[in-house]
């Protein structure tokens, strides 16, 4: 039995400078899309801080018009029934997660299983609200030069690492230079070509200099995209094997107290957290339950308090319970606007042939996967850029309807005739447990055209290692998250400079100089209409080349006990402000 103990409440002190499209400088327009967030209750609205005005945002149509359920409200409203002044101190929240964190360095991976835990241990320079507007975190304020090339951040005072060492601008510079720009797939791909340098002129100031105007920066500085790690723990070491990866030292609201691989990670309150009064909870426990339906039963039986994923068949039953909130969002610990994606290994036959990849696209029935495996939670993905990013999404790309005759013709043209038993070739498919059911269905689809897909289920970190690091696969799986802007989450999967042994980088090893150039132009262009045109052209090329096959756009459905308030279900930092209404 987990002990639940009392805590004091206090308001979080926040301050931010308003970054607005109507500033006198020719700043890049806001290029964010609000996560589509909905919930099954409509409590009192959450209190919002007045000292941190949000930057202008441009929510897309899908997020502005949630479709179901009928009583949908925002995740922030669903999470909070009382203002912060009534928040209580104490208690434990048990989170069911399907994946073991594996290690605790979020700077070297974008894996959601790792970030779900570490998002509560570390901080970013900024955090994002549910509309992807930047808010203060380790940086209490920031300014941008009129040409959009220099960002200056003033760091919060009184911040210490969990071991008591002071945090400073040196930690920020080191994290970017030696960790994120080398190992974090999205940050590396997005910044390495445009970032001119980072300066730390004094312990409380960070200056980021760019070679060209760079608009998406503020949306990529949260704990998911740019977690800040301690220089004193990682300097002069191999970042990927450093013991600190198993014994993390962060600045965040919680610190690691216990880890049992494959079972549990237990975090406890950081009593020296730099945001006064936070966090409210005493403990945050991540219980690893690989089967989502088992986790749903554990929620109903009171063994866990929060589900990171609700299986389709269980959603209606849980939503009907008076003690449970079911809410969905397009964002989470691993990123936002995510797409379940097949990765073709272009390094070797048979997927180095375009006709084979196009045949796979014609053979797979994505609508069946959406309806029968995902129970309608999401949409069929038609391009590399999610429809949630409506301004950048190109709906007019070539379509690959299920067409077995066309698939067979393409495979014949590619030189892969059927053997005596009807099989053309065998392909290996290492995948994590979460994709097991999709894998079975895809295996059946490909068998219809003579392709024998050999399923190799692996623990999530082992699957990522096989695909992204060792490249021991024919077909792989990735949940590629677009982020709030294509520059943040899309670029990294397609530019040739990111063909690296890094999780969720360019796993297909796709290389096209024209695509590289289009992504570079889009990153350096201020005008949104021009960026949309460039991204539209990129999508046409990628859909024609099929280096990946995009299955579904994923809605992330959560469930939690109604007594928990102020959960940030769209954020990497789930529980910084969370509190329990009734404590023992």
């Amino acid at each position: 039995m987990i002990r639940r103990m009392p805590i004091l409440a206090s308001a979080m002190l926040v301050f931010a400078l308003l970054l607005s499209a109507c500033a006198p400088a020719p700043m890049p327009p806001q290029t964010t899309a609000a996560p589509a967030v909905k919930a099954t209750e409509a409590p009192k609205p959450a209190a919002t801080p007045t000292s941190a005005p949000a930057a202008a945002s441009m929510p897309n149509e899908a997020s502005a018009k949630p479709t179901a359920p009928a009583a949908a409200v925002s995740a922030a409203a669903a999470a909070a029934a009382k203002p912060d002044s009534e928040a209580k101190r104490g208690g434990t929240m048990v989170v069911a997660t399907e994946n073991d964190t594996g290690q605790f360095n979020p700077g070297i991976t974008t894996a959601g299983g790792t970030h779900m835990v570490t998002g509560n241990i570390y901080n970013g320079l900024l955090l994002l609200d549910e509309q992807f507007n930047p808010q203060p975190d380790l940086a209490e304020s920031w300014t941008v030069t009129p040409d959009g090339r220099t960002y200056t951040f003033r760091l919060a005072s009184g911040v210490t690492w969990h071991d008591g060492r002071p945090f400073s601008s040196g930690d920020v510079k080191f994290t970017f230079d030696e960790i994120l720009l080398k190992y974090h797939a999205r940050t590396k791909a997005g910044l390495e070509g445009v970032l001119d340098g980072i300066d730390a002129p004094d312990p409380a100031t960070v200056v980021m200099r760019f070679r060209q105007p760079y608009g998406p920066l503020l949306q990529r500085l949260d704990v998911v995209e740019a977690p800040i790690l301690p220089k004193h723990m990682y300097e002069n070491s191999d970042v990927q094997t450093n013991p600190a990866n198993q014994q993390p030292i962060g600045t965040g609201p919680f610190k690691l107290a216990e880890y049992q691989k494959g079972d549990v990670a237990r975090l406890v309150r950081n009593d020296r957290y730099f945001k006064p009064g936070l966090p409210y909870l005493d403990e945050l426990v991540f219980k690893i339950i690989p089967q989502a339906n088992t986790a749903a039963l554990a929620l109903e039986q009171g063994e866990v308090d929060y589900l990171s994923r609700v299986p389709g068949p269980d959603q209606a039953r849980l939503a009907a319970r008076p003690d449970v909130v079911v809410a969905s969002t397009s964002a989470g610990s691993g990123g936002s606007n995510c797409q379940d994606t097949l990765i073709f290994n272009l390094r070797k036959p048979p997927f180095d042939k375009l006709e084979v990849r196009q045949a796979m696209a014609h053979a797979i029935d994505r609508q069946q996967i959406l309806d029968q495996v995902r129970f309608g939670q999401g949409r069929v993905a038609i391009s590399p850029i999610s429809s949630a990013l409506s301004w950048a999404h190109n709906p007019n790309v070539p379509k690959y309807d299920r067409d077995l005759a066309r698939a067979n013709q393409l495979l014949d043209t590619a030189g892969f005739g059927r053997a005596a038993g009807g099989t053309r070739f065998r392909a290996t498919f290492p995948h994590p447990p979460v994709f097991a059911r999709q894998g079975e269905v895809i295996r059946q689809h490909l068998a219809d055209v003579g392709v024998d897909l050999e399923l190799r289920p692996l623990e999530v970190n082992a699957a990522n290692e096989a695909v992204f690091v060792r490249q021991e696969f024919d077909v792989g799986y990735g949940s590629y998250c677009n982020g709030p802007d294509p520059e943040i989450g899309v670029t990294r999967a397609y530019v040739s400079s990111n063909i690296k042994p890094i999780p969720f980088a360019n796993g297909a090893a796709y290389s096209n100089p024209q695509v590289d150039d289009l992504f570079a132009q889009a990153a350096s262009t201020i005008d949104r209409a021009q960026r949309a045109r460039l991204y539209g052209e990129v999508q046409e090329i990628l859909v024609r080349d099929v280096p990946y096959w995009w299955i579904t756009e994923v809605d992330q459905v959560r469930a939690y006990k109604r007594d928990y308030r102020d959960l940030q279900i769209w954020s990497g930092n789930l529980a910084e402000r969370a509190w329990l209404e009734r404590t023992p």
Side-chain angles (χ1 to χ4, degrees), residues 291-302:
Q291 299 299 324
N293 56 345
T294 302
L297 290 174
L299 178 72
E300 293 179 285
Q301 294 169 2

Side-chain angles (χ1 to χ4, degrees), residues 267-348:
L267 311 186
V268 297
R269 184 180 193 271
N270 175 13
D271 290 322
R272 294 184 293 188
Y273 194 44
F274 66 98
K275 299 179 184 179
L278 297 178
Y280 299 121
L281 295 175
D282 288 333
E283 293 189 350
L284 184 60
V285 178
F286 293 87
K287 180 67 178 173
I288 300 164
I289 306 177
Q291 299 299 324
N293 56 345
T294 302
L297 290 174
L299 178 72
E300 293 179 285
Q301 294 169 2
E303 297 171 5
V304 302
D305 305 306
Y306 182 94
L307 302 184
S308 58
R309 184 172 77 89
V310 179
D314 298 318
Q315 184 173 342
R317 186 180 77 254
L318 291 177
R321 291 181 61 99
D323 61 334
V324 171
V325 175
V326 174
S328 69
T329 174
S330 68
S333 58
S336 56
N337 301 317
C338 304
Q339 295 179 315
D340 279 347
T341 305
L342 294 184
I343 306 166
F344 298 128
N345 192 343
L346 276 58
R347 301 171 182 86
K348 61 179 184 177

Side-chain angles (χ1 to χ4, degrees), residues 305-574:
D305 305 306
Y306 182 94
L307 302 184
S308 58
R309 184 172 77 89
V310 179
D314 298 318
Q315 184 173 342
R317 186 180 77 254
L318 291 177
R321 291 181 61 99
D323 61 334
V324 171
V325 175
V326 174
S328 69
T329 174
S330 68
S333 58
S336 56
N337 301 317
C338 304
Q339 295 179 315
D340 279 347
T341 305
L342 294 184
I343 306 166
F344 298 128
N345 192 343
L346 276 58
R347 301 171 182 86
K348 61 179 184 177
F351 294 103
D352 59 340
K353 286 184 175 287
L354 173 61
E355 294 89 351
V356 172
R357 303 194 300 271
Q358 291 176 331
M360 299 301 99
H362 279 300
I364 296 171
D365 187 343
R366 295 176 294 177
Q367 189 65 49
Q368 181 186 355
I369 294 172
L370 176 64
D371 294 341
Q372 297 181 11
V373 180
R374 286 210 161 269
F375 294 88
Q377 295 179 357
R379 292 147 300 283
V380 168
I382 66 169
S383 86
I385 295 182
S386 170
S387 62
L389 297 174
S390 58
W391 68 270
H393 175 72
N394 182 356
N396 301 314
V397 294
K399 303 297 190 295
Y400 291 79
D401 296 329
R402 192 170 201 238
D403 186 338
L404 297 184
R406 178 60 177 153
N408 280 305
Q409 181 186 42
L410 285 163
L411 290 171
D412 289 338
T413 300
F416 293 97
R418 291 180 183 267
T423 299
R424 298 177 184 274
F425 60 81
R426 171 175 289 185
T428 60
F429 181 35
H431 61 82
V434 70
F435 205 72
R437 178 59 183 142
Q438 286 95 322
E440 289 287 351
V441 174
I442 291 170
R443 184 178 186 275
Q444 296 167 13
H445 293 166
L446 297 186
D448 291 339
V449 295
V451 175
D452 183 3
L453 188 67
E454 180 187 338
L455 304 181
R456 294 184 179 178
L458 297 171
E459 185 272 331
V460 62
N461 296 298
N464 291 338
E465 174 93 2
V467 173
F468 294 103
V469 179
R470 299 198 308 271
Q471 294 102 42
E472 295 175 352
F473 74 103
D474 294 315
V475 180
Y477 162 77
S479 177
Y480 276 101
C481 298
N482 285 196
D485 186 282
E487 167 62 11
I488 294 175
V490 180
T491 302
R492 49 73 185 260
Y494 304 100
V495 293
S496 58
S497 61
N498 212 33
I499 302 175
K500 304 284 186 181
I502 299 172
F504 302 99
N506 186 342
Y510 175 72
S511 179
N512 185 326
Q514 184 181 7
V515 168
D516 291 347
D517 183 60
L518 288 168
F519 273 118
Q521 289 183 55
S524 62
T525 301
I526 294 176
D527 180 75
R528 173 178 274 197
Q530 175 71 357
R531 295 187 75 209
R533 186 190 66 77
L534 293 166
Y535 285 130
E537 189 173 348
V538 163
Q539 289 166 84
E540 289 180 3
I541 296 170
L542 291 174
V543 173
R544 183 186 68 225
D545 287 353
V546 202
Y548 300 76
W549 189 232
W550 310 278
I551 305 296
T552 53
E553 298 177 358
V554 178
D555 287 339
Q556 302 182 39
V557 182
R558 328 281 196 208
Y560 55 92
K561 290 298 183 67
R562 192 175 295 272
D563 287 342
Y564 289 90
R565 311 294 184 182
D566 286 342
L567 296 173
Q568 299 176 144
I569 72 169
W570 63 88
S571 169
N573 189 340
L574 171 69

